[in-house]
Amino acid sequence: MNRRTRIIVHQLVARSRIVGVLLALLMLPVSYSLAEENVDLFFDSTVRLSDVDAKAWVLMEFESGQTIASLNAEQAYPPASITKLMTNYVVYEALASGDIKLEDQVSISEKAWRAEGSRMFAKVNSQVELQHLLKSTVIQSGNDAAIALAEHTAGSEIAFAQKMNQAAARLSLKHSRFINSSGLPDDEHVMSARDIALLSAAIIREYPDFYKWYSEKEYTHNNITQYNRNKLLWRDSTVDGLKTGHTEAAGYCLVGSAEREGKRWIAVVLGSTDERTREKAVLDLLDYAFVAFQPVKLLDQQGGLASATVYFGEVDDVLFQAERAVNVVVPNGREADVVTDLRLSPYYTAPIEVGDKMGVATLSLDSKPIAEVPLVAMSTIKEGGLWKQFTDGIRLRWRNLREN
């Protein structure tokens, strides 16, 4: 792989260890705004993305979480039935912890039975297996099923909404607030397009067995067969999720995900004018992503990226490697143009432990940073003996005198 690597040496205070200085630095995916007046892409699009008919939208690569195009991504809007993605997520968590089971018989309350909008038509006071209710929310978007699940999982829909907000906080969904489990209109019930993309990625990553349900095209209960509202499942065989939503306040909303040749993208559109428009918008975004961009894994080599001098230790140098491999997105054919900048101290002092954070690797393309990851020590270096401490003290003093 012919990528360029540069080492940037920072003069830091003598005899001070760098461990922990950069502890808070994590990989930071870069977002590119794509409003018509502020296009920021690596190269021109063959699709006029500024023509996407939606109030807000996001195009995100799954592995990296990198947003390569967006409009009003952080703005909070009514999510309508896309809400049920969070309803599902909270139920998945409860199933994983053993608090509830797929075989549970769930009572259908009058509140659930009276739910407006899309329904699975469960009879009041009947018992329905939890698995059927969950599939209804995933495939057919039953509001009655969502309320019944909430009441069974948390005791009431209000208590369940609190669990939804707690889950949102854990997932760092910064522009979401949940009042109910169904997505029925409420002025305070909102999500952003980016939050929806992040939640979708979490479901795909954490609950792959349940994610398979999002590609099922029909659902039957009480001899009533209803079809998945995500019509992209019929239009594109690579699309395997996730959810539609519609209310008068929300407009037509859709989050779709597709996998082609092992690569996955997620597209969210909020506030489109009709069903066909939202479907076209999501497909245009997904097609653009697969054609124009290439997800790659970098800094996954086995050997060290760089070395540095160590004073007062049993050995005189330490090797560094990236704390983890980095998933990023680059335009097709540009992987070799990614530049790696290594920010290191001119020297380090023992003791050093394996995994100590002692620098930063920054990946950039065309001078745009696309990711950062800590550099960590590849070996433990213990303090040297008294003679090593004495001689290294002299060496370090002379070094500082020369450099100052």
Side-chain angles (χ1 to χ4, degrees), residues 312-314 382-390:
F312 308 108
E314 292 181 339
K382 296 180 180 179
E383 289 184 342
L386 290 177
W387 179 250
K388 190 67 161 61
Q389 296 282 322
F390 174 73

Side-chain angles (χ1 to χ4, degrees), residues 146-164:
I147 295 171
L149 284 171
E151 293 173 339
H152 181 76
T153 303
S156 70
E157 192 174 17
I158 293 176
F160 187 83
Q162 293 175 346
K163 288 182 176 292
M164 296 170 76

